[in-house]
Amino acid sequence: MSKAEFQFNPTEDQTFELEGRGCYNFVSHKERVDRFVAEGRYAEACEARYEAFQVAVDILPEDEAMPLKWEHANSRAMISIIYGSAVDHFRIGDLEMAMAQLEMLLDCDPEDHFEAINLLALCYVAMEEWEAFDDIVIDLTDKSAEAVVARLWASYQRNGDIDKALMSLLKSRHKAYYAEITATEHPEDEAFKRDITSDKPSQGAEAREWWLLTEPLWSEFPEFIKAL
Protein backbone atom coordinates (compact mmCIF):
# COMPACT_ATOMS: atom_id res chain seq x y z
CA MET A 1 0.00 0.00 0.00
CA SER A 2 1.22 3.47 -0.79
CA LYS A 3 2.02 5.88 2.02
CA ALA A 4 -0.35 8.27 0.26
CA GLU A 5 -3.15 6.12 1.67
CA PHE A 6 -2.48 7.21 5.24
CA GLN A 7 -1.51 10.47 6.89
CA PHE A 8 -0.89 11.67 10.43
CA ASN A 9 -2.50 15.10 10.73
CA PRO A 10 -1.30 17.29 13.63
CA THR A 11 -3.92 18.87 15.90
CA GLU A 12 -3.94 21.94 18.12
CA ASP A 13 -3.50 19.83 21.28
CA GLN A 14 -0.22 18.34 20.03
CA THR A 15 -1.71 15.00 19.10
CA PHE A 16 -2.24 13.47 15.67
CA GLU A 17 -5.23 12.14 13.76
CA LEU A 18 -4.55 9.09 11.63
CA GLU A 19 -6.41 9.29 8.37
CA GLY A 20 -6.26 6.08 6.37
CA ARG A 21 -7.83 4.08 3.58
CA GLY A 22 -7.55 0.42 2.72
CA CYS A 23 -5.45 -1.48 5.25
CA TYR A 24 -4.92 1.79 7.13
CA ASN A 25 -8.61 2.05 7.96
CA PHE A 26 -8.47 0.78 11.54
CA VAL A 27 -12.17 1.35 12.09
CA SER A 28 -12.71 -1.35 9.47
CA HIS A 29 -10.15 -3.61 11.17
CA LYS A 30 -11.89 -3.19 14.52
CA GLU A 31 -15.33 -3.87 13.03
CA ARG A 32 -13.96 -7.12 11.56
CA VAL A 33 -12.49 -8.14 14.92
CA ASP A 34 -15.73 -7.28 16.73
CA ARG A 35 -17.67 -9.36 14.23
CA PHE A 36 -15.46 -12.39 14.86
CA VAL A 37 -15.86 -11.96 18.63
CA ALA A 38 -19.64 -11.66 18.35
CA GLU A 39 -19.69 -14.90 16.35
CA GLY A 40 -17.49 -16.69 18.90
CA ARG A 41 -14.59 -16.97 16.43
CA TYR A 42 -11.98 -15.95 18.97
CA ALA A 43 -8.89 -17.40 17.27
CA GLU A 44 -9.75 -15.52 14.10
CA ALA A 45 -10.32 -12.36 16.12
CA CYS A 46 -6.85 -12.66 17.64
CA GLU A 47 -5.30 -13.22 14.21
CA ALA A 48 -7.14 -10.21 12.76
CA ARG A 49 -6.03 -8.02 15.65
CA TYR A 50 -2.41 -9.07 15.19
CA GLU A 51 -2.55 -8.44 11.44
CA ALA A 52 -3.87 -4.94 12.12
CA PHE A 53 -1.24 -4.41 14.80
CA GLN A 54 1.47 -5.22 12.26
CA VAL A 55 0.06 -2.52 9.98
CA ALA A 56 0.32 -0.09 12.91
CA VAL A 57 3.95 -1.08 13.48
CA ASP A 58 4.74 -0.38 9.83
CA ILE A 59 3.46 3.19 9.94
CA LEU A 60 4.40 4.36 13.43
CA PRO A 61 7.82 6.06 13.73
CA GLU A 62 10.46 4.01 15.51
CA ASP A 63 12.37 6.83 17.16
CA GLU A 64 9.62 9.03 18.59
CA ALA A 65 6.23 8.80 20.24
CA MET A 66 3.16 9.50 18.12
CA PRO A 67 0.35 10.54 20.49
CA LEU A 68 -3.00 10.01 18.80
CA LYS A 69 -6.23 11.90 19.36
CA TRP A 70 -8.61 9.63 21.24
CA GLU A 71 -11.69 11.47 19.99
CA HIS A 72 -10.74 10.71 16.37
CA ALA A 73 -12.39 7.46 15.28
CA ASN A 74 -9.60 5.90 13.20
CA SER A 75 -6.94 6.89 15.72
CA ARG A 76 -8.99 5.46 18.60
CA ALA A 77 -9.56 2.26 16.63
CA MET A 78 -5.82 1.78 16.17
CA ILE A 79 -5.23 2.33 19.90
CA SER A 80 -7.92 -0.26 20.64
CA ILE A 81 -6.35 -2.75 18.23
CA ILE A 82 -2.92 -2.41 19.83
CA TYR A 83 -4.36 -2.89 23.33
CA GLY A 84 -6.45 -5.87 22.27
CA SER A 85 -3.49 -7.60 20.65
CA ALA A 86 -1.37 -6.97 23.74
CA VAL A 87 -4.06 -8.64 25.87
CA ASP A 88 -4.15 -11.57 23.43
CA HIS A 89 -0.41 -12.11 23.84
CA PHE A 90 -0.59 -11.64 27.61
CA ARG A 91 -3.24 -14.35 27.84
CA ILE A 92 -1.07 -16.90 26.03
CA GLY A 93 1.99 -16.06 28.11
CA ASP A 94 3.95 -14.20 25.42
CA LEU A 95 4.89 -11.48 27.87
CA GLU A 96 7.78 -10.13 25.83
CA MET A 97 5.46 -9.32 22.93
CA ALA A 98 2.73 -8.02 25.26
CA MET A 99 5.28 -5.76 26.95
CA ALA A 100 6.46 -4.29 23.64
CA GLN A 101 2.89 -3.74 22.50
CA LEU A 102 1.87 -2.05 25.75
CA GLU A 103 4.88 0.27 25.58
CA MET A 104 3.88 1.19 22.02
CA LEU A 105 0.30 1.71 23.19
CA LEU A 106 1.33 4.19 25.86
CA ASP A 107 3.33 6.15 23.28
CA CYS A 108 0.16 6.40 21.18
CA ASP A 109 -2.20 6.96 24.12
CA PRO A 110 -0.36 8.83 26.89
CA GLU A 111 -3.68 9.43 28.68
CA ASP A 112 -3.91 5.63 28.99
CA HIS A 113 -7.63 5.16 28.40
CA PHE A 114 -7.32 1.40 28.91
CA GLU A 115 -5.22 1.72 32.09
CA ALA A 116 -2.64 -0.40 30.32
CA ILE A 117 0.07 0.77 32.70
CA ASN A 118 -1.17 -1.78 35.24
CA LEU A 119 -0.84 -4.72 32.84
CA LEU A 120 2.56 -3.45 31.71
CA ALA A 121 3.68 -3.37 35.35
CA LEU A 122 2.83 -7.08 35.69
CA CYS A 123 4.88 -7.82 32.58
CA TYR A 124 7.85 -5.92 33.99
CA VAL A 125 7.71 -7.83 37.28
CA ALA A 126 7.36 -11.21 35.55
CA MET A 127 10.29 -10.39 33.25
CA GLU A 128 12.30 -8.88 36.14
CA GLU A 129 12.63 -5.60 34.27
CA TRP A 130 13.13 -3.71 37.51
CA GLU A 131 14.53 -0.50 36.05
CA ALA A 132 11.53 -0.21 33.75
CA PHE A 133 9.17 -1.01 36.63
CA ASP A 134 10.73 1.69 38.79
CA ASP A 135 10.26 4.18 35.96
CA ILE A 136 6.47 3.67 35.97
CA VAL A 137 5.80 2.96 39.64
CA ILE A 138 4.80 6.58 40.25
CA ASP A 139 1.85 6.00 37.90
CA LEU A 140 0.63 2.94 39.85
CA THR A 141 -1.84 4.70 42.12
CA ASP A 142 -3.60 3.62 45.30
CA LYS A 143 -6.93 4.26 43.55
CA SER A 144 -6.44 1.28 41.25
CA ALA A 145 -6.70 -2.22 42.70
CA GLU A 146 -4.71 -3.57 39.76
CA ALA A 147 -1.90 -1.11 40.46
CA VAL A 148 -1.85 -2.05 44.15
CA VAL A 149 -1.60 -5.74 43.25
CA ALA A 150 1.26 -5.00 40.85
CA ARG A 151 3.15 -3.12 43.56
CA LEU A 152 2.45 -5.88 46.07
CA TRP A 153 3.77 -8.51 43.69
CA ALA A 154 6.85 -6.45 42.87
CA SER A 155 7.65 -6.11 46.56
CA TYR A 156 7.14 -9.84 47.08
CA GLN A 157 9.38 -10.78 44.16
CA ARG A 158 12.10 -8.43 45.33
CA ASN A 159 11.99 -8.97 49.08
CA GLY A 160 10.40 -12.38 49.53
CA ASP A 161 7.54 -11.19 51.73
CA ILE A 162 4.26 -9.28 51.59
CA ASP A 163 4.32 -5.51 52.12
CA LYS A 164 1.99 -5.02 55.09
CA ALA A 165 0.96 -1.48 54.18
CA LEU A 166 0.03 -2.45 50.63
CA MET A 167 -1.75 -5.55 51.88
CA SER A 168 -3.80 -3.44 54.27
CA LEU A 169 -4.60 -1.04 51.42
CA LEU A 170 -5.78 -3.90 49.18
CA LYS A 171 -7.98 -5.36 51.92
CA SER A 172 -9.54 -2.06 52.98
CA ARG A 173 -9.94 -0.11 49.74
CA HIS A 174 -10.22 -2.94 47.21
CA LYS A 175 -12.06 -5.68 49.09
CA ALA A 176 -13.62 -7.22 45.97
CA TYR A 177 -10.21 -7.75 44.39
CA TYR A 178 -8.75 -9.27 47.53
CA ALA A 179 -11.75 -11.59 47.82
CA GLU A 180 -11.41 -12.65 44.19
CA ILE A 181 -7.66 -13.24 44.39
CA THR A 182 -8.01 -15.44 47.48
CA ALA A 183 -11.14 -17.30 46.29
CA THR A 184 -10.89 -20.99 45.45
CA GLU A 185 -13.20 -20.72 42.42
CA HIS A 186 -13.75 -18.05 39.78
CA PRO A 187 -16.76 -19.20 37.74
CA GLU A 188 -17.63 -17.58 34.42
CA ASP A 189 -21.29 -18.25 35.06
CA GLU A 190 -24.35 -16.50 33.66
CA ALA A 191 -24.63 -14.21 36.68
CA PHE A 192 -21.09 -12.97 36.11
CA LYS A 193 -21.67 -12.49 32.38
CA ARG A 194 -24.85 -10.47 32.99
CA ASP A 195 -23.08 -8.36 35.59
CA ILE A 196 -19.92 -7.58 33.60
CA THR A 197 -21.86 -6.68 30.44
CA SER A 198 -24.29 -4.39 32.28
CA ASP A 199 -24.10 -0.59 32.16
CA LYS A 200 -22.64 -0.50 35.67
CA PRO A 201 -20.75 -3.71 36.48
CA SER A 202 -20.23 -4.44 40.16
CA GLN A 203 -16.76 -4.30 41.70
CA GLY A 204 -16.96 -8.03 42.19
CA ALA A 205 -17.55 -8.61 38.48
CA GLU A 206 -14.72 -6.27 37.53
CA ALA A 207 -12.42 -8.09 39.94
CA ARG A 208 -13.34 -11.44 38.41
CA GLU A 209 -12.80 -10.13 34.89
CA TRP A 210 -9.32 -8.98 35.94
CA TRP A 211 -8.61 -12.35 37.57
CA LEU A 212 -9.67 -14.26 34.46
CA LEU A 213 -7.33 -12.07 32.39
CA THR A 214 -4.34 -12.48 34.70
CA GLU A 215 -4.92 -16.09 35.82
CA PRO A 216 -2.38 -17.54 33.32
CA LEU A 217 0.27 -15.37 34.95
CA TRP A 218 -0.55 -16.56 38.46
CA SER A 219 -0.40 -20.16 37.34
CA GLU A 220 3.27 -19.45 36.59
CA PHE A 221 3.81 -17.62 39.91
CA PRO A 222 1.44 -19.37 42.35
CA GLU A 223 3.57 -18.63 45.42
CA PHE A 224 2.48 -14.96 45.41
CA ILE A 225 -1.21 -15.86 45.46
CA LYS A 226 -0.58 -18.37 48.23
CA ALA A 227 1.24 -15.70 50.23
CA LEU A 228 -1.78 -13.41 49.99
Side-chain angles (χ1 to χ4, degrees), residues 111-122:
E111 294 183 12
D112 195 10
H113 290 85
F114 288 104
E115 297 185 3
I117 194 77
N118 300 322
L119 199 60
L120 180 58
L122 294 180

Side-chain angles (χ1 to χ4, degrees), residues 24-32 73-75 77-78:
Y24 306 110
N25 183 340
F26 285 89
V27 171
S28 179
H29 282 300
K30 187 174 183 302
E31 288 173 347
R32 181 168 177 251
N74 201 49
S75 304
M78 188 170 86

Side-chain angles (χ1 to χ4, degrees), residues 75-147:
S75 304
R76 183 171 63 253
M78 188 170 86
I79 290 170
S80 300
I81 286 287
I82 297 172
Y83 175 71
S85 188
V87 169
D88 290 339
H89 284 88
F90 184 90
R91 287 183 186 276
I92 63 173
D94 189 349
L95 299 185
E96 189 169 352
M97 174 60 81
M99 186 167 60
Q101 291 176 306
L102 291 167
E103 289 172 344
M104 178 186 292
L105 174 70
L106 291 173
D107 283 342
C108 294
D109 181 29
E111 294 183 12
D112 195 10
H113 290 85
F114 288 104
E115 297 185 3
I117 194 77
N118 300 322
L119 199 60
L120 180 58
L122 294 180
C123 292
Y124 284 154
V125 177
M127 302 290 288
E128 297 187 350
E129 295 283 353
W130 296 119
E131 185 175 344
F133 179 85
D134 291 338
D135 285 343
I136 67 167
V137 72
I138 192 172
D139 297 316
L140 302 176
T141 72
D142 291 353
K143 295 179 181 179
S144 166
E146 297 173 23

Side-chain angles (χ1 to χ4, degrees), residues 62-217:
E62 295 182 5
D63 55 351
E64 62 179 317
M66 180 68 76
L68 300 178
K69 192 174 184 67
W70 177 257
E71 292 77 14
H72 182 253
N74 201 49
S75 304
R76 183 171 63 253
M78 188 170 86
I79 290 170
S80 300
I81 286 287
I82 297 172
Y83 175 71
S85 188
V87 169
D88 290 339
H89 284 88
F90 184 90
R91 287 183 186 276
I92 63 173
D94 189 349
L95 299 185
E96 189 169 352
M97 174 60 81
M99 186 167 60
Q101 291 176 306
L102 291 167
E103 289 172 344
M104 178 186 292
L105 174 70
L106 291 173
D107 283 342
C108 294
D109 181 29
E111 294 183 12
D112 195 10
H113 290 85
F114 288 104
E115 297 185 3
I117 194 77
N118 300 322
L119 199 60
L120 180 58
L122 294 180
C123 292
Y124 284 154
V125 177
M127 302 290 288
E128 297 187 350
E129 295 283 353
W130 296 119
E131 185 175 344
F133 179 85
D134 291 338
D135 285 343
I136 67 167
V137 72
I138 192 172
D139 297 316
L140 302 176
T141 72
D142 291 353
K143 295 179 181 179
S144 166
E146 297 173 23
V148 173
V149 173
R151 288 159 57 199
L152 254 174
W153 187 34
S155 175
Y156 181 81
Q157 292 296 96
R158 282 171 145 172
N159 305 316
D161 56 15
I162 295 295
D163 183 296
K164 293 181 180 180
L166 287 173
M167 183 68 156
S168 177
L169 179 65
L170 182 65
K171 286 183 173 181
S172 61
R173 187 176 294 190
H174 306 291
K175 295 178 181 178
Y177 276 76
Y178 179 73
E180 190 66 35
I181 291 169
T182 56
T184 56
E185 296 182 350
H186 313 270
E188 293 184 76
D189 53 22
E190 289 303 317
F192 162 71
K193 292 176 182 177
R194 284 194 302 271
D195 194 340
I196 199 62
T197 56
S198 66
D199 292 337
K200 291 184 178 181
S202 67
Q203 289 185 339
E206 290 177 343
R208 181 159 302 170
E209 182 180 48
W210 173 84
W211 171 266
L212 293 171
L213 167 62
T214 59
E215 187 174 16
L217 184 66

Side-chain angles (χ1 to χ4, degrees), residues 4-7 17-27 72 74:
E5 294 184 332
F6 75 87
Q7 184 172 342
E17 295 178 348
L18 171 60
E19 298 289 351
R21 301 190 303 274
C23 72
Y24 306 110
N25 183 340
F26 285 89
V27 171
H72 182 253
N74 201 49

